[in-house]
Every structure is written in structure tokens, then in C-alpha cells.
Amino acid sequence: MTWLFVRLKLSLLRGGLRGDAGRQVGFAFSVAAAFLAAVAGFGLLSLIRLAPYGVAVDLVSAAFAMFAAGWIVVPLMAFGLDETLDPARLALFPLTTRQLATGMLAASAAGPWPLASLAALCGGVVALAHGVGGVLLGVPAVILQFAFCLTASRLVTTALSGALRSRRGRDLLAVAAIFGVLLVQVPNLLLNRGLSGDPTRILAAAGEVLRWTPPGLAAHAIADGGLIGVAELIVVAMSVVVVAWLWIAALRYALVRPDSSNRGGASVRRSPTGRFLPGGLLGAVVAKELKYARREPRARVNWISAVFVSAVFMFSLRGPAGAAGTWAAVGPVCLAAVVIGLQAANSFGIDGRSLWMNAVAFSTPRDLRTDLAGRHLAMAVVAVPLLALASLAAALAAGNAAWALVAAPTAWGVLGVAVGIGSITSVTVPYTYPERLNAFAGAAPGQGGQAFAASFVTMLVTGVLVLPIVLPVLLGSGWWAVLAVPYGLAAAWAGRRVAAKIGSARFPELLAAVSRPT
Amino acid sequence: MADAVRTHGLFKRFGPQVAVGGVDLVVPKGSFAGLVGPNGAGKTTTLSMVTGLLRPDGGRIEIDGRDVWADPVAVKANIGVLPEGLRLFERLSGRELLMYGGQLRGIPLDEVVRRADELLRVMDLVEAQDKLVVDYSTGMRKKIGLAAALLHNPRVLFLDEPFEGVDPVSANTLTEVLRRYTASGSTVVFSSHVMDLVERLCDWVSVMNGGLVVAQGPIDEVRRGRSLNEAFLDLVGVRGNGEDGLSWLGAPA
Ligand SMILES: Nc1ncnc2c1ncn2[C@@H]1O[C@H](COP(=O)(O)OP(=O)(O)OP(=O)(O)O)[C@@H](O)[C@H]1O
Ligand SMILES: [Mg+2]
């Protein structure tokens, strides 16, 4: 049965890749990146063997914990790495929830990224195992740690997507905020403990905190290699079972509950904001996008996870208080701007199958340019105040409210660059968002690689292109920030211009790419 | 006088499968034309290519004498489309959908409001106008889709299975609207599996089978004295009558 799920996933992958060069390139890109990550991860972890024994154990514990954290956070960023089966598709088959859970777990382990992290985790055995016992325990320890990552990731995404779907925007923000605060406290705690001193002290403190978590226990078990190690592994196995059980419960709950984001036929208010919008195509697109940001669950989840990830950045990247310069305020806010701007890397994804309405009306690149401008404007309406707030928060946290005056314009500029680049990726590597909100799955089957490539390239190019405005600011020339907004606007304009040229020449292909069956 | 729609050797393949293999579709101006054919005949693919939603692998398409793919500016303003599958902006209300569609076409806002109000009334959607499209029933979706396709007063209208899944009352509304529309000299092309309806409404019919047009012309010429249903079955060739195999179906387990 489990094997069947794996085969199902593999054939979905294969079917999705067939006969489309773009998707194949995306997949190859994704595989290559995963392979590099696997080799690098394995190598780095193995090198820890050279460190003194106590340090090595703490280092591996920290690395294992970071893997688990990564597995939880990365799918939230909707990178399309998380291309798993939609449990709702399988609801009609006579499967017990347990079969469903093991099957889906196995299916989510099959794929380049899960395998890459399994390979990297194996480096932990090289780093810590001494003698036969260590190796013998090391293999199950790594597998259990991997299972822990998978189940924890599934649990968080399933629970969160259920919660995010459940009610209207206001409640969702509350949920996101609670999770944000909770998660954010962990690195904070570690940093505050180790604040006073050198890296080894921080590491020791981290090791102490992590000692009794499943990743820490797994690391210790490898190092121990004896009976204590066996006991520790049993504890890890039990925690995997508990997390899996919780996940099954969340899954069962999600399966029998209808998608309550549909408000059962209630009427919507005729929007009064329409009056403030420009008329014509631009205004129509802005109005539609703003409505979608409120009403479409996938758009909401995109926004909320952007806010969530930004919040994590804001708190966890906060340097030691006092020692910081403007960068402590500017850095996190700029990262937040990139994360928010990433939503524009697949602008047409949310429209999906309804994009034909635009396709039959648009006949010149100019139409498409206006459309993109409308989307960007709608995003700016939400993001600009949001980033201003974030700047203020970050500046206060960094110890000088005036830094907000530097951080906010810089972040706006970064946002401009991100959406400019994003409009180009939107037309060159478009992909379909799944119709139903399945956890945070990024793309239709077979398009995960493309989704990954789109986000990754957007981030990379944005990162390079913002250097001229961000670098001087980070180095202390705060006045440079006045150039950021014009720079961002210019970048967004140029991006739209190029994107409209490319996009209107291949609008039918674009339409097909965002309306694939999911 | 140019035909409303004319294609030359229209061709499309998906991987190894030829979906449309050299279609010469002709629809005279002002006609109410039906496009019929068995499942998988290539009707949807043809209509998608004609309306500029799917790029053909070969062939030419002219609407009112202008090439769809070479001169989209002139063509797209003059066509209305209701594609298969009722893919609409689900999270807009019916009214908002019409406003969006109208503004997309560059119609001034007050004119859009006027036309939308009228269309909503004619389509009997006034009560549902502020509900989200995602909550609409199939028939309501077809009606709002047709309203959106008519809003900019196109010269040629392409509808993919507009009557499937629509109750008789709504179907009546739809046909009345379309009749009035063609009476003024505009052209309607629609695909359908309901032969009675095609027989009743159309003055022109094109029959597709296996990616080709196998018969086309004024409906009486295609029918030649038979009912359209008989003519259709003759033209596409009756396939197995479902009596062999399936012996297990319905047998006690
Ligand atoms: N996107 C696609 N990818 C692969 N094959 C396709 C695709 N779209 C259509 N086809 C194939 O092309 C052929 C024609 O399909 P089309 O949808 O045009 O038929 P149709 O006449 O509209 O059928 P129906 O009456 O069932 O709607 C079918 O055999 C179908 O399998
Ligand atoms: Mg069809």
C-alpha cells in the first residue's frame, strides 16, 4: 500500500514532466540544486568530526534542529519544494487514516529535496559515530530524525492550512501572529542566553537547550553508540509516533471539514473603495487584485506566510542590542520586502484558469503592461504601509526609531526591484497553483521544479540588483536611502516593460501553464 | 462579403496525438451556427484556437476577413468567448465580474454599469448579482459567462457547450438572448451535444469527427431529410453498442 503511494507520486511527477521543455529544465535545475545541497550538507556535517567531541555533539544537535526547523519553515515560503499528494483527492478511497498517513509520508519522502536532506543528515553519522555501535545506531538515528522532520513539517502545514482556511482574514492574522511569536521565541531564547560571549558559549547553551529535543537525542544516540543511545532512540521514535498521530488527527479533521472559506452564498458588499481607484483597465485590475487578496484563500495564505516569514526574520536576525548600526533595522525589513515581493514571481498563478478573460481582451503588450502595473499597484497598497510598520518595529527593536526613516524607503525600493524581476519570471516560468489548498503545496504536479526555479531566480537576481541601494545604506550612508524608491520604481517599470514584450508574445503558453489540472 | 469565420488547414497536435488535423471551418456572417461532434472530436481545441486562446501548429484563421494571430488588435475587440469548463473569476461577485470584463475592454465605467444592469436583468441574475461566482450553480455560471461575453457587443460570439447542464427555463432565456443577438446581424458559433437544440436553433451546422470537419453547410443540406441525430450518427459512424463485455457489471458480487 505504502509502495503504491510512492509509485503514484513518481508517476505524477513523470506525467507532469512529459513533453514540456520548461518543466523539464525546471526539474533538472531543482535536481541539480538538491544534489549540490546534499553533497554540501553531507560534507559540512562530516567535517564536524574534526571538532572536539563535546563541541561536535552540540554542533550536530544544532544542525539536526536546524534541519527540522527548515522542514517546517521552508514549505511555508511556498517554494514549491513541497510537492506532495493532496489528501482530499484520496478521501473517497477506502483507506484507513493510518494507511493514508504512512502512504503520504512515504510519498513526501520521494523527491529530490527530501532525498537530499536524508543524504545530508547522514553526514551526522560520519561526524559523531565512534566504533561499530555508533554506526549501528547512527543509521536508525538518521532515519528517525528524517521521519521527525517529515512528520513535523506535515503536522505544521496541515494544521496551519486548516486554521488559515477556516475563517476570515482578521482571524487568520491572529493565528499567524501567535505562531510567529511562538516560533520566534526559540532563536531569541538561544541568542539571549549566549549574548554575553563567544561562539562556544552560545553553542554550549544551544546544545543544552536542544539536548532533550528529538534532534538532540538523535545526535546524542549516535555519539553514545551504546545502551543509552538505544534508549534515546526509543524516545525519538516515540516522539515521531506522537507527532504523526497528531498529524493524522489534523488530517482527519481537515478531510471531513468542508472548505469553510466559501461563505455559503452570502452576498458581498459593493466595494466603496472603487471610488478611489483610477478608471479603466488599471483600476479594474487593482480592484480585482485587492478583492482577491481578501477573498481568495490561496492569496490570503500567500500574504500571511509572507508576513509570517518576515516576522521570523525580523526577530531572529536581530543582532545583539546596542552593538548594531542601521543594518539591524534595515536588513530584516529588506528581507521582508523580498519575501513579500516574491508573491509577484508568479503573478498570474492565482488567476489560474480564469486568466482567459484577460487573454481574449488583450491584444498588445501595452495591455499586459497595464495589467502587471495594476497587480503591482495592488500589492503596493498593502505592502507599503506594512513595510513602514515593519521598519518602525525593527528600528525600535534596534534601538533608534529614526532608523525607520532609512529602513522604510530602502525596503520600498527593494520591493520595487523584486516585483520588477518577478514580472519577468511571471511570464517566463509561470506555474499553476493547486486549486485546493493542500497544506502549502507550491505547484501543480510536475511543476515544482519550475516553481522552485522561479522563486530562486527571482530572489537571486533581486539580491544582486538591490546591492547598489542596499549596500551603501548597510555600510552606514543612510542618506543614500532617498535614491532607493526611484530606483525601485525604475526597476519595476523596466521589469514590466520587458515582461510585457515577452508575455504578450506567448500569452497562450502562459495561459496553459497557469491552468494545468491539479 | 467575407465569412464571419473561415479557417484553412487548421492543425494542432498534443504530443503524438493529432487533436485537430486540418480543419476548414466556415461560418457565414449573421448565421446561428452549431458545431457538433463526438467527445474528443476536437471542437474545444478548434474553438480555443479560433479565439486566440491556444496557438495552432499550422493553418490560418480569419474572422471577418482578418487573421486572428497576425492582427489580434482588430479581431479581439470584435469577438466574445465562453470557453469550456466555466472558468470564471470565482472570487468576484457576478456584478463585479461584469464590471471587470467591461473595463478590461476599455468601455467607460458608466456605460459598463448600464449594460451590466441590463444584462443581469435579462439573465434573471439580479438577486444573485452580489453573490460570489464560486457559489453560483452551473446554469447561473453559464448565464453570467454569456453576459460577460456579450458585454462589449462583439460581432462574433463563440460558445463552448453553453447549454449543457442548464435547466429548460434558463436554456430558454439563453436562446432568446442569442436569437435577438443574431437577428441584428451578428454571428454565433456554439458547440453542443444536444442535437434537438441544434436542429431547432441553427441555420448552419458543422460536424466534426476525429479532428476533421466531415460535413458542413446549411442545416437542411446536412440533414437531407433525416433528423439531425440520424444524420450525425451516419456521419460519424456508429461505434459499438455497448452489449459485449461488462458481464460482471451488476452481477451479484
Ligand atoms: N491539453 C491537452 N493535452 C493533450 N491532449 C489534449 C489536450 N486538449 C485536448 N486534447 C486531446 O485532443 C482531442 C480533442 O479534444 P477536444 O477537447 O477538442 O474535444 P471535444 O470535441 O471538445 O470533446 P468534448 O465533446 O468531450 O468536449 C482529444 O482526444 C483530447 O484527448
Ligand atoms: Mg469540448
Side-chain angles (χ1 to χ4, degrees):
Chain A
M1 180 49 90
T2 310
W3 184 230
L4 191 68
F5 273 80
V6 175
R7 286 219 313 266
L8 175 61
K9 161 116 182 228
L10 291 182
S11 47
L12 273 179
L13 269 180
R14 206 162 345 115
L17 287 176
R18 195 173 308 154
D20 183 315
R23 247 170 278 143
Q24 283 162 0
V25 170
F27 185 71
F29 182 77
S30 180
V31 169
F35 181 75
L36 283 182
V39 172
F42 182 83
L44 282 176
L45 268 179
S46 307
L47 281 181
I48 294 177
R49 194 178 180 89
L50 304 178
Y53 178 75
V55 177
V57 175
D58 285 344
L59 271 177
V60 174
S61 302
F64 276 18
M66 259 150 64
F67 263 99
W71 265 93
I72 291 170
V73 173
V74 170
L76 295 187
M77 297 176 63
F79 258 12
L81 303 185
D82 182 50
E83 237 193 315
T84 194
L85 306 171
D86 182 352
R89 295 276 140 148
L90 307 165
L92 278 183
F93 290 98
L95 296 169
T96 62
T97 317
R98 200 153 122 219
Q99 282 173 318
L100 199 60
T102 41
M104 295 213 4
L105 213 55
S108 42
W113 286 99
L115 292 181
S117 53
L118 183 59
L121 284 174
C122 288
V125 182
V126 180
L128 291 182
H130 290 275
V132 185
V135 177
L136 278 184
L137 280 190
V139 175
V142 162
I143 291 175
L144 282 174
Q145 156 74 10
F146 182 57
F148 180 76
C149 290
L150 283 182
T151 44
S153 150
R154 294 283 126 235
L155 171 64
V156 171
T157 48
T158 309
L160 253 188
S161 71
L164 285 181
R165 213 158 35 166
S166 63
R167 255 167 258 103
R168 313 260 298 265
R170 170 163 40 93
D171 314 353
L172 307 178
L173 272 174
V175 174
I178 293 167
F179 266 90
V181 170
L182 282 182
L183 243 167
V184 154
Q185 286 317 310
V186 179
N188 249 5
L189 214 66
L190 299 182
L191 278 181
N192 287 342
R193 283 222 181 173
L195 264 190
S196 48
D198 52 333
T200 43
R201 291 267 302 282
I202 300 179
L203 185 66
E208 205 176 295
V209 175
L210 293 173
R211 174 69 180 86
W212 300 107
T213 61
L217 284 172
H220 267 263
I222 304 175
D224 181 77
L227 280 181
I228 299 178
V230 175
E232 282 173 327
L233 280 190
I234 292 174
V235 176
V236 179
M238 268 160 34
S239 59
V240 171
V241 171
V242 169
V243 173
W245 183 82
L246 284 176
W247 175 55
I248 292 175
L251 194 60
R252 196 181 286 147
Y253 185 75
L255 280 187
V256 297
R257 299 255 307 186
D259 183 344
S260 50
S261 58
N262 298 347
R263 279 169 291 156
S267 293
V268 292
R269 264 186 315 132
R270 292 206 196 153
S271 152
T273 51
R275 260 177 285 140
F276 306 111
L277 293 172
L281 177 52
L282 185 71
V285 174
V286 175
K288 183 210 77 182
E289 285 290 302
L290 288 177
K291 283 175 193 134
Y292 260 62
R294 274 203 314 275
R295 296 180 190 161
E296 164 69 52
R298 287 170 297 173
R300 251 168 13 201
V301 166
N302 276 357
W303 267 109
I304 288 168
S305 45
V307 170
F308 171 75
V309 173
S310 313
V312 172
F313 277 142
M314 302 253 312
F315 283 91
S316 53
L317 289 190
R318 201 173 82 190
T326 31
W327 64 267
V330 175
V333 186
C334 287
L335 280 175
V338 173
V339 173
I340 291 174
L342 265 186
Q343 287 180 76
N346 190 27
S347 288
F348 303 102
I350 298 269
D351 285 357
R353 292 152 61 80
S354 26
L355 188 66
W356 68 267
M357 258 185 103
N358 298 16
V360 293
F362 291 174
S363 41
T364 61
R366 198 189 165 72
D367 294 330
L368 185 55
R369 219 166 90 199
T370 316
D371 185 359
L372 283 167
R375 289 164 200 271
H376 292 173
L377 196 56
M379 171 171 274
V381 166
V382 185
V384 165
L386 204 63
L387 285 174
L389 266 181
S391 305
L392 192 61
L396 285 176
N400 185 348
W403 286 337
L405 295 178
V406 178
T410 314
W412 293 336
V414 171
L415 180 71
V417 176
V419 297
I421 303 303
S423 57
I424 298 177
T425 40
S426 291
V427 296
T428 46
V429 266
Y431 57 94
T432 306
Y433 283 127
E435 196 96 346
R436 281 183 48 94
L437 202 62
N438 158 36
F440 288 80
Q447 285 186 320
Q450 246 174 320
F452 172 66
S455 314
F456 188 77
V457 169
T458 308
M459 242 166 48
L460 205 69
V461 177
T462 304
V464 173
L465 287 186
V466 297
L467 284 182
I469 49 170
V470 172
L471 214 52
V473 174
L474 287 183
L475 294 178
S477 319
W479 53 270
W480 196 264
V482 296
L483 295 177
V485 172
Y487 184 84
L489 284 176
W493 179 84
R496 284 196 295 267
R497 218 185 142 76
V498 176
K501 271 248 170 57
I502 303 171
S504 78
R506 61 189 299 267
F507 215 99
E509 286 75 21
L510 173 60
L511 179 63
V514 296
S515 41
R516 286 168 56 76
T518 53
Chain B
M1 188 176 80
D3 289 313
V5 183
R6 180 175 273 281
T7 74
H8 304 277
L10 195 57
F11 187 84
K12 179 77 192 178
R13 67 193 309 164
F14 294 105
Q17 182 181 9
V18 177
V20 170
V23 159
D24 297 319
L25 186 73
V26 180
V27 177
K29 233 178 207 156
S31 56
F32 202 135
L35 181 60
V36 298
N39 295 130
K43 304 182 294 295
T44 299
T45 310
T46 304
L47 288 178
S48 302
M49 290 190 288
V50 170
T51 51
L53 293 176
L54 182 69
R55 195 184 300 282
D57 291 337
R60 264 207 352 265
I61 307 162
E62 282 168 11
I63 292 182
D64 281 340
R66 293 173 192 266
D67 192 301
V68 174
W69 289 88
D71 189 6
V73 182
V75 171
K76 284 190 170 177
N78 286 321
I79 61 172
V81 185
L82 177 68
E84 81 167 339
L86 299 165
R87 311 165 309 197
L88 301 165
F89 283 97
E90 306 280 316
R91 303 281 163 175
L92 298 182
S93 71
R95 192 188 168 75
E96 289 165 349
L97 186 77
L98 294 186
M99 304 306 254
Y100 177 71
Q103 287 182 283
L104 212 57
R105 301 280 189 169
I107 308 172
L109 190 59
D110 42 357
E111 179 66 13
V112 180
V113 172
R114 205 173 61 78
R115 292 187 187 181
D117 281 337
E118 232 167 289
L119 280 165
L120 286 166
R121 209 173 49 246
V122 171
M123 299 285 180
D124 196 20
L125 286 172
V126 176
E127 252 162 59
Q129 61 178 331
D130 287 322
K131 279 210 259 178
L132 296 190
V133 172
V134 71
D135 294 328
Y136 278 19
S137 70
T138 309
M140 288 157 85
R141 287 161 161 271
K142 299 246 170 174
K143 287 195 277 186
I144 199 75
L146 182 60
L150 285 170
L151 191 74
H152 59 291
N153 188 24
R155 304 297 303 147
V156 189
L157 195 57
F158 296 93
L159 312 170
D160 201 348
E161 310 199 356
F163 298 107
E164 270 67 357
V166 177
D167 74 69
V169 181
S170 303
N172 214 41
T173 318
L174 292 185
T175 52
E176 280 316 309
V177 173
L178 292 178
R179 275 230 174 88
R180 259 179 62 190
Y181 171 74
T182 45
S184 65
S186 303
T187 312
V188 173
V189 183
F190 76 101
S191 75
S192 181
H193 292 299
V194 191
M195 293 300 153
D196 291 344
L197 200 72
V198 175
E199 204 158 17
R200 202 149 48 76
L201 289 177
C202 297
D203 44 34
W204 183 273
V205 65
S206 304
V207 184
M208 286 190 72
N209 189 26
L212 292 169
V213 170
V214 292
Q216 156 167 273
I219 190 149
D220 290 325
E221 263 173 44
V222 173
R223 252 188 334 197
R224 273 192 265 131
R226 302 162 290 181
S227 78
L228 184 63
N229 203 32
E230 282 167 357
F232 177 76
L233 291 179
D234 283 349
L235 280 165
V236 304
V238 183
R239 296 172 235 191
N241 49 11
E243 267 166 27
D244 19 302
L246 294 187
S247 57
W248 49 269
L249 188 62

